[in-house]
Amino acid sequence: HLCKADLVTGMVGEFPELQGIMGRYYALEEKLPAPIADSIGDHYAPAGPNDRCPSAPLSIVVALADKLDTLTSFWAIGEKPTGSRDPFALRRAALGIIRIVVENRLRLPLKSFFQADDLMAFFADRLKVQMREKGVRHDVVDAVFALGGEDDLVRLLARVRALQSFVTTEDGTNLLAGYKRAANILKKEGYETPSP
C-alpha cells in the first residue's frame, strides 16, 4: 500500500521518473522507519542493466513482490509481450527479478510463483538472453535448460558456469568432437539426435 502511495501526488504526476524516490521522502516525512522508507524508494530497482540492485532484506522482498505481482497479474489477464512490443515493461520486470535473485544469491523456487508454464518459459528466455549477453555459449545455456525442472537460479547458473568451464578444457573439446562425429554418423543413417 505504501509503495504506490506517491503515484497520486502532484510531484510524481508531473515527474513520473520520481516514482519510489518521492515515496521514500514522503515516508521519511511521515516518520516511518528508515528500512520501510528505503524499501519504498528501492522497489522499482533495478530499472535497467546499469541500475543498482536492492540488497537490504526488506527492499529485496518488496522489489520482488512488486515485480512478481506485475508479471503474474498481466499474464493472468492475457497481456503478454509480443515481438518487440512490451508496453508494460514485463521483460524489464523479469530481468529485474533475475538480477535481484542472482546478485543476492537467493534460493527462490520460482515455479511456486508462476502458475502458467508459458510465464516460466518467458522468464527462462530472459535468462538465456542475459547469459548470452555475458558471453556464455548458447549451446551451454540450452543444454542446462534442457535438463528441465530447475527453478533455482543460483543452482542453475552454477551449472551453466560449470558446463561453460568444462567445454573449454581439453576433455570438453574432445567430448564435443566425439559427440559431433557420432551425431553425424547417426544422421547419415536417418536417426535424429538431441543437441549436446
Side-chain angles (χ1 to χ4, degrees):
H1 178 72
L2 293 174
C3 286
K4 305 299 182 184
D6 67 348
L7 295 180
V8 296
T9 65
M11 180 65 84
V12 172
E14 186 71 26
F15 303 102
E17 65 274 11
L18 295 179
Q19 294 177 152
I21 296 167
M22 290 309 300
R24 179 180 179 277
Y25 288 124
Y26 296 143
L28 289 171
E29 193 64 30
E30 290 289 323
K31 307 291 187 253
L32 292 173
I36 292 174
D38 291 343
S39 69
I40 292 170
D42 286 346
H43 85 282
Y44 288 109
N50 299 320
D51 194 18
R52 66 178 182 74
C53 196
S55 58
L58 188 56
S59 294
I60 290 169
V61 170
V62 176
L64 280 174
D66 182 58
K67 290 166 182 51
L68 288 166
D69 179 63
T70 298
L71 283 172
T72 56
S73 297
F74 276 98
W75 239 256
I77 62 170
E79 282 291 336
K80 305 169 188 177
T82 56
S84 62
R85 273 188 26 86
D86 187 12
F88 303 108
L90 300 179
R91 290 182 181 101
R92 183 172 66 198
L95 290 170
I97 293 169
I98 291 168
R99 280 198 54 207
I100 292 168
V101 169
V102 171
E103 291 182 25
N104 291 291
R105 301 197 50 76
L106 302 176
R107 306 305 296 270
L108 188 66
L110 291 173
K111 283 184 184 172
S112 62
F113 298 103
F114 300 150
Q115 301 301 316
D117 286 340
D118 62 334
L119 179 52
M120 191 64 201
F122 170 78
F123 196 81
D125 286 343
R126 303 287 63 79
L127 184 60
K128 287 180 183 181
V129 167
Q130 188 184 54
M131 290 293 92
R132 288 177 188 146
E133 287 174 356
K134 290 184 175 185
V136 178
R137 292 172 44 156
H138 70 89
D139 56 344
V140 167
V141 175
D142 290 342
V144 171
F145 272 93
L147 296 172
E150 184 62 75
D151 66 346
D152 179 331
L153 294 183
V154 173
R155 189 168 40 222
L156 189 138
L157 293 177
R159 289 178 179 172
V160 167
R161 284 190 297 274
L163 185 56
Q164 176 87 359
S165 293
F166 174 72
V167 297
T168 60
T169 66
E170 185 178 343
D171 286 342
T173 303
N174 290 338
L175 180 64
L176 286 175
Y179 176 83
K180 287 177 185 174
R181 280 193 297 271
N184 285 337
I185 292 168
L186 290 172
K187 191 175 184 180
K188 284 181 183 176
E189 296 297 323
Y191 295 100
E192 288 294 317
T193 57
S195 299

